[in-house]
Amino acid sequence: MTTVDAPDLLAPGQNFGARVSASAQSNKGAGASLAGYGRFGERFDGLLMLNGVNQKDYKDGDGKKVEHSAVDQRSYLLKLGWNLAPDHRLSISQRHEGQSGNRTLRLNVAGLAGCPLYDGDLKYDTTNLEYKGRNLGFAQKADANIYHTKMDDSKRALGPLGGCRATSPYNHSNVKSTGANAGFVTAWQDHRIKYGVNVRREEVNNLVSRTGEKKTDWGLYGEGIWAFEPFTITTGLRYDHFSLTTARGKSASKGQLNPSINAIWDISPQWSLHAGVAQASRSPRLQEAMLLNLSRGVADGVKAERAVNAEIGAQWQSGPFTASGAVFRQVTHDYLGNNARNEQDNVGKLINRGYELEAGWRDGPWQARAAMTHSKPRLEGSLGGMYSMLNYTPIGRQWHTQLSYRFAQPRLEIGWRGQFTESLTVPVVNRAGVQTGSQTLRSVILHSLYANWQPLGHDRFNVNLSVHNVANRLYRTQHSSILEPGRDWRLSVNWRF
């Protein structure tokens, strides 16, 4: 993740600055953040950001409290920068994120059979050392970083385990990830060549059952962006390799070549077409840390799944109007799931096809936008139970709309956003892969209003007011069994000086 630098926040000619923000929600929560940043001479700069949110149990569209939806969140970012020379910069950062609360075992599921609530404390800590270089001779741009991330997750059961598959009333696990990235851009005439390397080592450990898994991923890539006006052609090739050792001591290791090609044709200043085919691979996942003791490892010969995506589309612009559209088909070969022995295995093929459409209009202070996305995924092979909410859930056709008006005086923008997800019927499949019925995922219609006001006439002081779920609808998203918040008024104020 790329984080902001102090010079990005400072105004021209400014050496030190600060930002204060506060927010409140009617349903129900409050938050605050504080940031300070500055330059120290010509070569050094730094920033410190603090943030906290206290979310209480909210109410759904029927006015009923959704128990155990409360959570406390806190985070900070400390970053120091050193300009080694005009075209060379080094920075180091420390980022912390944490949340705590009494939650269900899985946050997107209202309750798993037999499982109690858990008093959870989740922490993420990331240390990152980054270099940015420009005009290096052989390359016009170079970016490199080394990072270490640690996730620490503690859960203590607040009741008897009953039929829950967790084997201990107390779970303490962590995930450690250490990696490095280096990327370069070299210009040749009107063309550009990008190339680099990525390395990541992950360790998952359950500190109660004293089990762990390890995985190393590394990749080499090269990409050429070839400008032959009116065509731009991009060709790429990437090699990915993984090495995995499971909690049961079993190992797997394989590599995969992933090619890609894409072309853009600028037919005229108003029209352009694009088409491309790209392949990407994903290595077998590490077992969830909290359930490592239940891991059955990986099957013999398991390999990375391969997703081949083909897309063709067009863009158009004329005066205040814009429009774009694309159709795509993605085939994921060697789809990773669990076989009959509950081992991670290549269990079949996932085919997903769909389209995207978007249109926009801007005329003076008015702006409007409408977009629609639709996809039809289909699973093939030995995919018993893969329609489970925890693994794979298709969603209906989605529509997004927006209309806004910006006043010159006062500096005020008001707007409306709409979201509509169509209903969808999906099969219900048991763990043996046999369809036992069907389930209809209900449609979702949401409206939101917002106002952004700059009372002092500039963007250093902002007041934002919004209303989410204006109609106070009772709903769930199609990929969760948790009831979402009802009507929610939100007010935030931020001051930068």
Side-chain angles (χ1 to χ4, degrees):
M1 177 184 291
T2 301
T3 55
V4 68
D5 292 305
D8 299 327
L9 301 175
L10 292 168
Q14 186 181 23
N15 288 323
F16 295 96
R19 186 179 67 189
V20 180
S21 301
S23 62
Q25 299 174 224
S26 64
N27 192 15
K28 284 188 174 179
S33 66
L34 174 65
Y37 39 88
R39 292 189 182 94
F40 307 96
E42 294 294 326
R43 304 181 69 180
F44 299 97
D45 56 74
L47 66 86
L48 174 63
M49 294 183 173
L50 307 173
N51 184 71
V53 176
N54 183 359
Q55 175 69 55
K56 299 183 182 298
D57 289 337
Y58 59 77
K59 295 181 179 180
D60 62 25
D62 279 348
K64 297 178 181 179
K65 182 186 293 186
V66 178
E67 300 288 348
H68 316 298
S69 58
V71 63
D72 287 331
Q73 302 178 66
R74 64 274 180 193
S75 63
Y76 70 79
L77 171 65
L78 174 63
K79 190 170 187 179
L80 303 175
W82 179 17
N83 295 314
L84 305 171
D87 288 327
H88 304 272
R89 177 176 173 81
L90 195 66
S91 63
I92 186 169
S93 64
Q94 179 67 37
R95 180 165 53 94
H96 171 83
E97 298 177 58
Q99 56 178 264
S100 59
N102 296 339
R103 313 298 294 271
T104 56
L105 187 61
R106 296 182 186 270
L107 299 183
N108 66 324
V109 182
L112 295 176
C115 291
L117 291 171
Y118 286 81
D119 179 11
D121 188 14
L122 179 64
K123 300 174 183 176
Y124 287 92
D125 288 283
T126 301
T127 304
N128 185 61
L129 178 65
E130 184 175 10
Y131 166 78
K132 293 182 179 180
R134 302 295 182 265
N135 304 317
L136 303 181
F138 72 95
Q140 283 64 53
K141 181 180 179 182
D143 295 299
N145 74 307
I146 302 173
Y147 65 89
H148 176 74
T149 298
K150 180 181 179 182
M151 184 203 76
D152 195 83
D153 188 10
S154 297
K155 287 184 171 68
R156 186 180 300 275
L158 299 177
L161 295 180
C164 187
R165 296 185 69 196
T167 58
S168 172
Y170 175 67
N171 289 278
H172 187 193
S173 58
N174 63 46
V175 180
K176 298 177 182 178
S177 179
T178 303
N181 304 284
F184 305 89
V185 179
T186 296
W188 175 58
Q189 297 181 356
D190 295 330
H191 316 298
R192 286 182 297 159
I193 302 173
K194 299 181 179 181
Y195 48 97
V197 59
N198 313 112
V199 181
R200 182 179 70 250
R201 179 172 176 79
E202 295 177 281
E203 298 182 24
V204 176
N205 296 285
N206 188 309
L207 304 183
V208 176
S209 62
R210 298 184 180 180
T211 53
E213 293 189 346
K214 299 178 181 179
K215 184 175 71 166
T216 299
D217 289 282
W218 61 269
L220 299 171
Y221 68 90
E223 181 182 74
I225 303 174
W226 316 103
F228 303 105
E229 192 175 350
F231 297 96
T232 301
I233 300 174
T234 302
T235 57
L237 183 63
R238 181 180 177 94
Y239 177 77
D240 290 290
H241 185 275
F242 77 89
S243 178
L244 169 68
T245 302
T246 71
R248 293 177 174 256
K250 194 170 185 178
S251 297
S253 179
K254 272 189 173 56
Q256 177 66 49
L257 277 173
N258 295 304
S260 64
I261 185 170
N262 184 73
I264 301 174
W265 179 17
D266 293 313
I267 301 174
S268 69
Q270 293 78 33
W271 278 98
S272 69
L273 301 176
H274 72 270
V277 180
Q279 176 176 290
S281 59
R282 187 184 70 160
S283 62
R285 66 190 181 278
L286 294 174
Q287 174 66 40
E288 184 178 351
M290 188 177 60
L291 303 178
L292 269 177
N293 57 302
L294 303 177
S295 173
R296 295 295 182 267
V298 295
D300 293 331
V302 69
K303 51 190 175 182
E305 64 182 26
R306 298 179 296 112
V308 180
N309 186 72
E311 180 176 313
I312 184 170
Q315 294 81 36
W316 171 78
Q317 179 176 355
S318 179
F321 300 99
T322 60
S324 63
V327 294
F328 65 88
R329 185 176 188 268
Q330 183 181 79
V331 180
T332 303
H333 303 272
D334 305 316
Y335 189 81
L336 288 166
N338 288 351
N339 60 24
R341 296 182 298 276
N342 206 26
E343 298 171 321
Q344 189 175 182
D345 198 0
N346 304 109
V347 294
K349 182 188 297 185
L350 171 64
I351 301 174
N352 189 19
R353 63 186 188 278
Y355 55 89
E356 304 170 344
L357 299 172
E358 182 173 352
W361 168 72
R362 182 192 292 269
D363 188 7
W366 287 98
Q367 183 175 354
R369 172 183 172 271
M372 185 267 285
T373 60
H374 181 54
S375 63
K376 295 183 66 175
R378 186 178 79 251
L379 294 165
E380 296 180 351
S382 304
L383 296 164
M386 294 303 290
Y387 279 99
S388 162
M389 181 180 301
L390 304 181
N391 296 286
Y392 161 73
T393 302
I395 58 176
R397 183 184 287 110
Q398 296 184 79
W399 300 78
H400 296 271
T401 55
Q402 180 179 356
L403 177 65
S404 65
Y405 183 86
R406 186 187 297 269
F407 296 88
Q409 290 296 333
R411 293 281 292 270
L412 173 67
E413 179 182 348
I414 58 174
W416 160 78
R417 295 188 181 98
Q419 177 183 338
F420 174 45
T421 304
E422 296 182 16
S423 62
L424 182 69
T425 300
V426 298
V428 175
V429 183
N430 62 22
R431 295 198 64 85
V434 178
Q435 181 173 341
T436 59
S438 62
Q439 176 186 6
T440 298
L441 305 177
R442 296 178 58 185
S443 62
V444 178
I445 303 175
L446 294 176
H447 300 278
S448 300
L449 301 173
Y450 69 90
N452 302 326
W453 179 34
Q454 297 174 353
L456 302 183
H458 53 69
D459 62 2
R460 295 192 300 274
F461 186 74
N462 294 272
V463 179
N464 303 310
L465 176 66
S466 64
V467 189
H468 179 70
N469 192 2
V470 174
N472 199 30
R473 290 185 177 273
L474 180 71
Y475 77 100
R476 297 178 175 89
T477 62
Q478 292 184 349
H479 52 76
S480 173
S481 64
I482 299 291
L483 284 167
E484 297 294 324
R487 185 185 298 114
D488 189 11
W489 292 79
R490 303 175 183 178
L491 174 67
S492 66
V493 179
N494 61 80
W495 181 26
R496 182 164 50 89
F497 54 91

